[in-house]
Amino acid sequence: MDAAKIYRETLGNLAIAISNHKLPDGRASLRAFCQVYGFNRPHLCQQLKGTAKADMSVGIYLRLVAALGLCSTPLNTAEANGMSLRQYLKIDSTTVNRTILNLYSES
């Protein structure tokens, strides 16, 4: 599957997950999600619709999935803000990670 398709599908799945996410007070909406977790709703709407001027950054994506409870550990996203999620998806991270692990096992 190509990175552009994965990116579009990921944003669609993310929009659904945010809309269905129940907050502690029982609300489940994009507006409530943005209010509680401090996201800019108009900008997030543009990102999720694919109409924003720039792609979503890896840093914003990681903040979103952390707010959804899909990550169990706190994430340092400062380094990830300079790369778009679409760019990241173009990288064969499996190969990169495998070679790093192979280097560790060699030393």
Side-chain angles (χ1 to χ4, degrees), residues 10-23 27-35 37 39-41 44-45 47-48 56 60-61 63-70:
T10 299
L11 291 185
N13 291 336
L14 192 55
I16 292 167
I18 290 169
S19 294
N20 293 334
H21 180 71
K22 289 231 188 275
L23 298 167
R27 295 181 296 163
S29 70
L30 180 68
R31 179 183 303 271
F33 182 88
C34 289
Q35 287 173 343
Y37 297 112
F39 290 97
N40 179 308
R41 190 178 63 83
L44 184 56
C45 286
Q47 290 286 326
L48 296 174
M56 180 180 290
I60 294 295
Y61 173 77
R63 281 186 54 217
L64 288 166
V65 296
L68 289 167
L70 300 174

Side-chain angles (χ1 to χ4, degrees), residues 1-15 47-48 50 55-56 58 61 65 84-94:
M1 203 182 290
D2 75 61
K5 183 175 181 180
I6 294 170
Y7 179 77
R8 285 189 309 272
E9 289 180 6
T10 299
L11 291 185
N13 291 336
L14 192 55
Q47 290 286 326
L48 296 174
D55 289 340
M56 180 180 290
V58 173
Y61 173 77
V65 296
S84 82
L85 183 58
R86 188 187 312 254
Q87 289 172 323
Y88 178 80
L89 291 169
K90 289 180 181 178
I91 298 168
D92 183 358
S93 58
T94 303

